[in-house]
Amino acid sequence: MNSFNPSKLLLLGLALPLLTACPSDDVGTDEVGTTDGDTTDADTSTTNGTTDTTTVDDTTTVDDTTTDDTTDTTTGEDPFVFAGDAPDAYTRVDRMGMPAVATAVITSKDDYNAANPTDDANNDFVPEISDSVVGLHMALDDDLMGLGAVPCAPNVCLAQAGPLVIPDTLKIDLSAEPGFPNGRTLTDPVVDVTLAVVMLDLSVMGQDPFLFASLPLNPPANDVPFLADFPYLADPN
């Protein structure tokens, strides 16, 4: 075991003031004061009757560099600038009114997107809509009959769906009851109704536009309730 050595303690006591003192222009062994009017802190240590005073300059440099912010909070001006170009300066890349029409029965999609509802009303796209409906029936009529449904003939289908999809716009009559196709509510099965109008003979007893919506393949309701207030949609899950 090492024995206690008093000389080591004495050397340590002499060394501490030397380690803590920081030499500078403001430090002296026999002065305590200030430099150029700066506020100073004095750290005084006494060892063996010798007083060593350290003066610390508290001068602080402040960087007042101004940063540019995109939001002007002093003038109150709107930081957003919107284009004021005329409508004909833009090119339409997509249009859609009734659900599934542009997606399912339009083949010349670029021409259709560049066109207007007035072109729809001129029957410009009726031939390709008719061809698409015929193709859907060729592919699905057997399945429909397997469900006990009665498919409509193509001319009957077009007559049923024509007022709904030509022109391709959303329609609303404020004097009538709300609900697809008179506008749409959050619970309306719009695609099921559209397919029923295009695929089923609605003159047959027991067949109506909500037949597909009633099939057990579809969920009977949203998995979470809608909100009672705006925005009405439930939180995403």
Side-chain angles (χ1 to χ4, degrees), residues 211-233:
L211 177 63
F212 291 154
S214 64
L215 296 177
L217 294 176
N218 287 313
N222 203 39
D223 59 339
V224 290
F226 294 113
L227 303 177
D229 301 312
F230 184 84
Y232 304 111
L233 294 174

Side-chain angles (χ1 to χ4, degrees), residues 125-137:
F125 298 96
V126 167
E128 64 185 87
I129 292 175
S130 177
D131 290 344
S132 296
V133 169
V134 170
L136 289 172
H137 277 277

